[in-house]
Amino acid sequence: MKKKELVPINVLVVDDSPESVELIKRNLQSKGYAIYTAHNVQSAIKLLGSVAVDLLITDLQMPGENGIELVRHTSENYKNIGILVITGFPSIQGAVQSIKIGAEEYLVKSFTDEELFTAVERVLQKTHRQAKASSKPAIQNFGIIGHSDGMKKVFNTINKAKPTRATVLIQGESGTGKELVARALHYGGQASAAPFVPVNCGGIPDTLLESELFGYVKGAFTGATETRAGFFQTADGGTIFLDEISNTSLAMQAKLLRVLQEKEFYMVGSKKTLNVNVRVVAATNVDLMQLVKKGLFREDLYYRLNIISIDLPPLRERGDDLLELMDFFLSKYVHELGKPPMKFSPKALRAMQAYAWPGNVRELQNLIHRVVILAEDNTIDIPDLPESFRYSGVRAKGFDRPLEDVEREYIQDALAAHQNNISKTALVLGIDRKTLRDKLKKYKL
C-alpha cells in the first residue's frame, strides 16, 4: 500500500522480542508507515488510548498477559483498527481463537518481507471498507456505545470505580452488556496488565463450581490426578468477574464471603489456606435483595458485593442509543463478511425502534449479524426481519389514531393490492361500488 502523504498510517507493533519488533519496524518504515512499538500488553493498551492506531500487529506468546487478551481488548474497545496476529508457535486453536475475537490475518514466524507487506495491505483494505461502510461514528465510552442519560450514569460510575479495588455489583437484564462494564473497570484501572478472568456461575454445575473457582489438589476426589489451580489463583493481582452470581448455592456463597473478607481460601482437598489479591466484580440479572428476603442469598454477601452498584438500563429505555448500536453492528458485520455497504430502510428502522428488545443489546447484535448474512441486496427492509419485527411495525402505529385514519389507510392498501380495481376492492371490503366511491371521495383517494 502506498504511503499517505498527508495522514500517515499508524502501526502499533507489539512483541516481547526486541529483534522481531526492530525487524518489522524497519521493513514497514521503508514503506512509509508510522511505527509505534510496545513489548507487553500493558504498554500497548496505554498507547492505544493515546495514539490513533490504524493497524495493530501483535505476537501471541508473551510473558504475563498474552496477545489474545490484547486482540480482545482492541476489538471490543476500538473501531476500524486492523489486527494482524504473528506467532512463532503456530496452532490451529490459536489461529481460530484470534480470528474469532477480532484479528483479520494470522502470520507465522519466520515470514518473508513480502508476506508481511501482503498481510498488512490485506488488513488495511478490510478496515478501509469497514470505515467507508459506516455512515456515522458511534459514540463509545470504554468500548461501550451510548449517550443516553442512563448510560451516562453508568460511565460516570465506571470512571469513579475503575481506579479503586472496591467490589462492584453490576445489575441488569440479560444481554445488556454486564461483562463489557466489568472489562471497562479492569482495563481502565491500574491492574490492567493483570489477568481478567470471567466466570459464568450459571454455566457450571454447583458440584463443580468450588473446584473451578478454588482449584484442587491431587487426590482430592476421583479423577483428580494432578493439582490444578482455580480461577481465583489465575486472577491473582487482577479481576475475577462472577457472572450470574445469583445461581450459586448458600454453601458456595459462604466460601465466596470468606474470600472477600479474608482474602484467602482453601483448594479442594487441602487444609492449607492460600492468600489471593483479586478484585471481585459480580453481575446478576435478578433482584438479589428479593432472593435475600426469600432466604436464597446470603445478606452479608449481598452487602459485601454491593459496595459499588452499577445498574445497566435495558435497551428499550436507551432512546437513540439503539440507532448508534445498529450502525455499529451493521458496519462490524459488513466488514467481517466482506460485503458492500448496507443500510436499513426507513420502514425497517421504524419497526426496530418499535420493538421491545427483550434480549437487549445481545439480541440486537445477533439479529443484525443474521440479516447481514441473509439479506439479498444492500438495503435491509422489513421483509428481511423476523416476523415479530414486521408485526411490531404495525403495532408501532399505536391505538391512539381516529377510526377514520385507520379506515382510510385500509382502503388505500386494499386498492393498491388490487391495482386500483374498484369492483374487486369493493368485493373484498364487503361493500358496493357506490359506497366505495363515496369513501374514496371523502378521503380524497
Side-chain angles (χ1 to χ4, degrees):
M1 182 170 286
K2 294 182 180 180
K3 175 183 176 181
K4 292 185 178 181
E5 306 219 352
L6 295 178
V7 182
I9 295 175
N10 294 331
V11 180
L12 172 58
V13 182
V14 187
D15 197 319
D16 61 310
S17 167
E19 294 80 11
S20 294
V21 169
E22 184 60 31
L23 178 63
I24 296 173
K25 177 182 178 181
R26 187 168 60 247
N27 285 336
L28 294 183
Q29 280 181 334
S30 71
K31 296 293 185 179
Y33 298 100
I35 308 300
Y36 297 84
T37 63
H39 298 291
N40 55 63
V41 173
Q42 182 182 20
S43 298
I45 288 174
K46 290 179 180 177
L47 276 170
L48 286 169
S50 59
V51 177
V53 173
D54 302 296
L55 172 65
L56 168 67
I57 301 177
T58 181
D59 191 13
L60 284 184
Q61 300 295 330
M62 292 183 286
E65 203 166 17
N66 62 32
I68 289 292
E69 284 301 307
L70 179 58
V71 171
R72 189 191 306 276
H73 174 77
T74 303
S75 63
E76 291 182 356
N77 286 274
Y78 300 94
K79 286 186 67 176
N80 302 328
I81 294 183
I83 302 175
L84 170 61
V85 165
I86 58 174
T87 182
F89 304 90
S91 70
I92 295 299
Q93 182 180 4
V96 170
Q97 186 179 8
S98 61
I99 296 296
K100 184 177 180 180
I101 63 176
E104 279 86 8
E105 293 283 341
Y106 186 87
L107 205 55
V108 178
K109 299 177 182 178
S110 297
F111 44 81
T112 66
D113 295 350
E114 192 57 37
E115 287 174 337
L116 173 64
F117 296 147
T118 301
V120 166
E121 185 173 359
R122 280 200 302 262
V123 173
L124 290 173
Q125 286 176 345
K126 289 178 182 179
T127 54
H128 176 71
R129 285 198 301 267
Q130 179 190 25
K132 190 175 180 181
S134 180
S135 59
K136 59 179 180 178
I139 298 174
Q140 295 193 52
N141 290 278
F142 313 107
I144 306 169
I145 295 169
H147 59 270
S148 61
D149 290 343
M151 293 308 297
K152 286 178 181 177
K153 293 178 181 178
V154 170
F155 300 144
N156 184 48
T157 306
I158 291 174
N159 265 322
K160 293 178 179 179
K162 67 180 183 179
T164 75
R165 300 286 288 171
T167 305
V168 179
L169 177 62
I170 307 169
Q171 303 176 94
E173 296 178 7
S174 295
T176 49
K178 294 186 285 293
E179 184 170 339
L180 280 179
V181 172
R183 289 182 179 275
L185 290 164
H186 173 73
Y187 288 110
Q190 297 178 350
S192 59
F196 174 87
V197 180
V199 182
N200 182 358
C201 298
I204 303 174
D206 196 67
T207 53
L208 299 178
L209 186 57
E210 181 179 2
S211 61
E212 290 294 316
L213 288 176
F214 306 124
Y216 54 83
V217 297
K218 182 179 179 180
F221 49 82
T222 303
T225 57
E226 60 182 1
T227 297
R228 178 183 167 188
F231 290 131
F232 269 94
Q233 289 158 286
T234 303
D236 193 22
T239 302
I240 188 167
F241 173 54
L242 302 177
D243 198 8
E244 297 188 36
I245 189 72
S246 60
N247 286 284
T248 55
S249 66
L250 291 172
M252 177 55 61
Q253 291 168 30
K255 293 180 172 65
L256 290 173
L257 182 63
R258 178 181 177 84
V259 178
L260 288 168
Q261 289 178 332
E262 309 298 335
K263 304 294 183 182
E264 63 181 27
F265 62 91
Y266 293 97
M267 296 179 73
V268 175
S270 174
K271 296 182 179 179
K272 179 182 178 182
T273 61
L274 295 178
N275 296 319
V276 66
N277 177 27
V278 63
R279 180 183 196 171
V280 175
V281 177
T284 177
N285 58 10
V286 299
D287 188 339
L288 288 186
M289 182 49 70
Q290 292 300 317
L291 295 184
V292 169
K293 292 177 180 177
K294 294 177 182 178
L296 300 175
F297 200 86
R298 292 181 63 110
E299 186 174 12
D300 46 5
L301 177 60
Y302 170 75
Y303 287 115
R304 177 65 67 169
L305 291 172
N306 198 27
I307 293 176
I308 297 176
S309 178
I310 296 178
D311 295 313
L312 275 173
L315 184 55
R316 61 183 173 274
E317 296 178 4
R318 291 178 55 181
D320 288 342
D321 285 357
L322 172 66
L323 301 178
E324 300 287 349
L325 287 160
M326 288 172 61
D327 176 74
F328 174 79
F329 290 129
L330 185 62
S331 297
K332 170 183 170 68
Y333 290 117
V334 162
H335 161 65
E336 287 184 3
L337 297 167
K339 289 203 167 188
M342 301 179 73
K343 64 180 181 179
F344 288 95
S345 72
K347 288 184 179 179
L349 283 173
R350 287 195 293 270
M352 295 184 77
Q353 287 176 304
Y355 186 63
W357 298 106
N360 293 292
V361 179
R362 184 185 297 120
E363 182 183 7
L364 173 66
Q365 179 177 2
N366 293 340
L367 169 68
I368 293 180
H369 192 182
R370 182 165 64 249
V371 298
V372 169
I373 293 173
L374 299 178
E376 296 182 356
D377 55 46
N378 296 342
T379 299
I380 300 169
D381 209 344
I382 288 185
D384 297 311
L385 303 177
E387 287 188 354
S388 57
F389 289 84
R390 294 179 231 165
Y391 296 154
S392 73
V394 174
R395 289 196 299 270
K397 296 170 185 176
F399 298 101
D400 57 352
R401 296 187 299 156
L403 181 60
E404 286 188 351
D405 286 356
V406 178
E407 184 180 55
R408 180 185 187 281
E409 185 175 317
Y410 188 75
I411 292 173
Q412 190 174 28
D413 291 343
L415 272 171
H418 295 89
Q419 299 178 318
N420 291 322
N421 186 303
I422 299 295
S423 298
K424 289 183 179 179
T425 302
L427 181 63
V428 168
L429 295 177
I431 56 178
D432 56 42
R433 289 164 51 91
K434 181 180 181 302
T435 302
L436 177 56
R437 290 187 184 278
D438 289 341
K439 290 184 179 292
L440 294 177
K441 183 177 180 180
K442 174 184 177 182
Y443 295 131
K444 298 180 181 179
L445 294 175

